[in-house]
Amino acid sequence: MTDTAPPNDRVRQTRDAVQAALVRVDYPATAPRSAAPATSVPAVALVTLDRPKALNALSFDLLDELATALEQLDADPACRAIVLTGSGERAFAAGADIPELASQTSASLTAGGRFRAWDRIAAIGLPLIAAVRGFALGGGCELAMACDMIVAAEDATFGQPEILIGVMPGAGGTQRLTRAIGKARAMELILTGRSLTAREAEARGLVTRVVPAEATLDAALELAASVASMPPRAVRAAKAAILDAAEQSLRDGLAREREAFFALFDTDDQAEGMAAFSQKRPPVWSGH
Ligand code: CO8
């Protein structure tokens, strides 16, 4: 693929390669191209989680498709920044796919290897900007936090409500939320399941900026275009260095978190919490 390929060819090529059913990859024609010549393709790719009826819940297949799409963009020299968003107006992503998780055990999660998608996403070298409208909960909040910047709509809500369905964050929430907003506030959110409004998230340093809901995607694309106009090697190096600063012991923390999350799938309260969600009733905790 060359820098002069027409945008439609680029979209088709990426789609054919990914065969994405749950994730869309586009090069928006309207993406600002502040430093790109008029003849050049947009240097910003837009990746959309596309399960609006399930509030873009993160099934394992969706996460695998997402990781593959991001890796392909990361390997494309024409792509300089990626915006990640959710389809529809209600959610960035309302978490892991609860019915899919409900049938798991700690053994199946450990052996299944389906969490490797999270490591692949964390290894992307291009800058990732989350454009968040509506719910970013559980795995959805973790995915937004795995991005490098978050542009939040005024109607966005961020939270780790896993405790309400009998488990705990398992894809970085205990580590990245704590680093973003501090121990005391992370404890409150994770131990009670309370969500943050967009303005609270902004005040606590979780998000880069808050914008009117209908302006969210444009604001994220504009920010991405600004980053995309910078020297690409320096951008990648700076991103890696900033993450290094925040991740001195993150690897150990994430490994411990995953082990603890998997272990909760041997508890009655996990089965009860997820069954109660599907049956649309309040859970009854046994403590086992
Ligand atoms: N998984 C699957 N389906 C979901 C999910 C989800 N997480 N969230 C919503 N949906 C579905 C609903 O079941 C519903 O489907 P249907 O119309 O067929 O009944 C549809 O989306 C719309 O949802 P609601 O009717 O519930 O909409 P409301 O406006 O009433 O409520 C809420 C919206 C508050 C977001 C509510 O849907 C909710 O509480 N969702 C669950 C939020 C949650 O608990 N998230 C955490 C999940 S656990 C997790 O993320 C662990 C992460 C571990 C790592 C990731 C591994 C992949």
Side-chain angles (χ1 to χ4, degrees):
M1 192 182 304
T2 69
D3 272 3
T4 53
N8 283 347
D9 286 354
R10 293 171 55 79
V11 172
R12 206 174 306 121
Q13 193 161 350
T14 306
R15 282 185 169 167
D16 287 351
V18 176
Q19 294 184 330
L22 302 167
V23 170
R24 284 201 321 269
V25 179
D26 296 294
Y27 288 80
T30 54
R33 284 169 280 181
S34 50
T39 53
S40 154
V41 295
V44 174
L46 174 63
V47 177
T48 305
L49 312 173
D50 200 12
R51 293 186 72 197
K53 287 184 183 158
L55 302 184
N56 302 315
L58 304 171
S59 64
F60 292 129
D61 285 348
L62 183 151
L63 285 165
D64 283 341
E65 282 188 16
L66 174 63
T68 300
L70 294 178
E71 283 171 348
Q72 289 183 354
L73 292 169
D74 205 23
D76 178 353
C79 188
R80 301 284 164 80
I82 302 169
V83 172
L84 176 61
T85 196
S87 180
E89 299 175 354
R90 295 202 57 214
F92 176 73
D97 187 307
I98 296 174
E100 186 179 57
L101 265 191
S103 59
Q104 299 287 332
T105 64
S106 58
S108 70
L109 287 171
T110 305
R114 303 305 298 270
F115 273 59
R116 274 201 285 275
W118 291 97
D119 305 329
R120 294 166 62 199
I121 293 166
I124 298 300
L126 280 175
L128 291 172
I129 297 169
V132 176
R133 289 196 66 171
F135 299 110
L137 299 177
C141 188
E142 290 169 314
L143 181 58
M145 291 191 294
C147 295
D148 303 306
M149 289 180 268
I150 300 175
V151 174
E154 281 170 345
D155 65 5
T157 54
F158 298 85
Q160 300 289 162
E162 291 91 342
I163 202 85
L164 301 174
I165 55 167
V167 290
M168 60 176 275
T174 62
Q175 305 302 297
R176 292 197 177 94
L177 187 64
T178 304
R179 282 164 169 74
I181 69 173
K183 173 191 161 193
R185 285 164 170 157
M187 282 283 184
E188 183 209 349
L189 294 188
I190 291 172
L191 299 189
T192 69
R194 185 175 88 77
S195 296
L196 290 178
T197 65
R199 289 292 174 202
E200 285 176 303
E202 182 184 40
R204 293 172 186 187
L206 182 64
V207 308
T208 306
R209 66 183 58 135
V210 177
V211 297
E214 57 285 356
T216 310
L217 188 55
D218 282 347
L221 290 170
E222 194 174 336
L223 179 58
S226 171
V227 173
S229 71
M230 300 298 156
R233 290 182 65 161
V235 166
R236 282 178 179 268
K239 165 175 169 161
I242 292 165
L243 291 181
D244 271 352
E247 290 181 3
Q248 291 297 331
S249 63
L250 181 62
R251 198 165 296 131
D252 288 346
L254 290 172
R256 279 195 299 277
E257 176 197 73
R258 189 174 299 180
E259 198 181 332
F261 178 78
F262 287 2
L264 288 172
F265 282 76
D266 285 339
T267 67
D268 292 341
D269 282 346
Q270 172 266 330
E272 165 62 11
M274 294 187 182
F277 174 82
S278 295
Q279 293 158 13
K280 301 186 187 295
R281 62 170 174 79
V284 180
W285 305 127
S286 69
H288 300 296

